[in-house]
């Protein structure tokens, strides 16, 4: 009996040490290991010059997160994007906009599209993280309201980005016309897919030199299906955090916090019968109440879009 008890005690100790080591890594190290995930896609009209798209998502910014602010700010010089796609959840604190201004200011004058996540409207609240494994999260009714108008004014008036919350807009990149359309946070049922056909019609008929871009915070199936039906050439989403905690080297997230298949909760895949490219960013941050990343580094995505062959 003594040897059995000793063995069990050794196993328990090893398990505790392993869990402790994982916590130290996830909380103290990996959440600061910002990385760039790069992709190359042939989706532009034939004959188009290539463009570089910087996809940012889920910064969940707090004012004291200066390391993250500096890293994002340096992307403007390192990447030199032609277009920015921001898929929401920028704010992680009632003064989060202070950090967002520092991080995004170098992207001023780079054309961009943005949509809201719920944490662009309401501050995060503490909750039991185990509940994420029981299904999509719910939001506290008492969460403080954020200054969304000030954030939108910074994005639109200062940076020059277009708001695609249940709306559509066009930007010109040289000879390429880019029609962006998107929805407000589908996780909160703020999406209005019925508004998009008229919004797109108001942009005018697409021609052979048009790229159609669908933008959503939460990549719910209903949204992705609708974007494919509306003729998206490429779709961008966020929200999932890539699972935030993953089994190392696994291709599947443990959770997605929405109904997207778990093996599509991070990175580049495709959606629908036409295999429309879908990029879901694992995001740059986390809730201040769940400060951990394990097996899922914080990231920005850089997509080089090239012309299709004739």
């Amino acid at each position: 009996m003594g040897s059995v008890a000793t063995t069990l005690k050794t196993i328990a100790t090893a398990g505790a040490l392993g869990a402790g080591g994982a916590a130290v890594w996830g909380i103290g190290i990996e959440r600061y290991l910002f990385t760039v995930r790069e992709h190359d896609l042939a989706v532009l009209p034939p004959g188009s010059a290539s463009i570089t798209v910087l996809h940012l998502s889920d910064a969940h910014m707090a004012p004291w997160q200066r390391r993250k602010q500096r890293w994002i700010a340096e992307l403007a010089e390192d990447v030199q994007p032609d277009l920015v796609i921001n898929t929401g959840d920028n704010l992680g604190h009632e003064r989060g906009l202070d950090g967002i201004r520092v991080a995004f200011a170098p992207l001023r004058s780079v054309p961009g599209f943005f949509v809201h996540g719920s944490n662009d409207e309401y501050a995060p609240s503490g909750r039991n993280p185990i509940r994420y494994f029981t299904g999509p999260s719910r939001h506290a009714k008492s969460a403080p309201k954020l200054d969304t108008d000030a954030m939108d004014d910074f994005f639109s008036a200062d940076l020059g980005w277009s708001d695609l919350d249940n709306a559509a807009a066009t930007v010109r990149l040289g000879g390429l016309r880019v029609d962006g359309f998107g929805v407000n946070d589908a996780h909160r049922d703020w999406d209005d897919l019925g508004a998009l056909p008229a919004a797109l019609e108001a942009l005018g008929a697409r021609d052979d030199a048009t790229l159609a871009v669908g933008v959503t915070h939460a990549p719910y199936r209903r949204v992705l299906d609708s974007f494919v039906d509306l003729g998206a050439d490429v779709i961008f989403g966020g929200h999932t955090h890539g699972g935030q905690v993953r089994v190392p080297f696994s291709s599947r997230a443990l959770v997605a916090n929405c109904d997207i298949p778990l093996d599509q909760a991070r990175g580049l895949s495709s959606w629908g019968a036409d295999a429309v490219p879908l990029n879901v960013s694992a995001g740059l941050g986390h809730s201040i109440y769940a400060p951990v990343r394990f097996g899922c580094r914080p990231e920005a995505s850089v997509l080089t879009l090239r012309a299709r062959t004739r």
Side-chain angles (χ1 to χ4, degrees), residues 136 186-187 216 218-225 239 257-260:
H187 189 60
T216 180
Y220 277 84
R221 295 170 186 249
R222 67 179 185 272
V223 175
L224 303 180
D225 290 342
H239 175 70
N257 206 19
C258 64
D259 65 0
I260 193 172

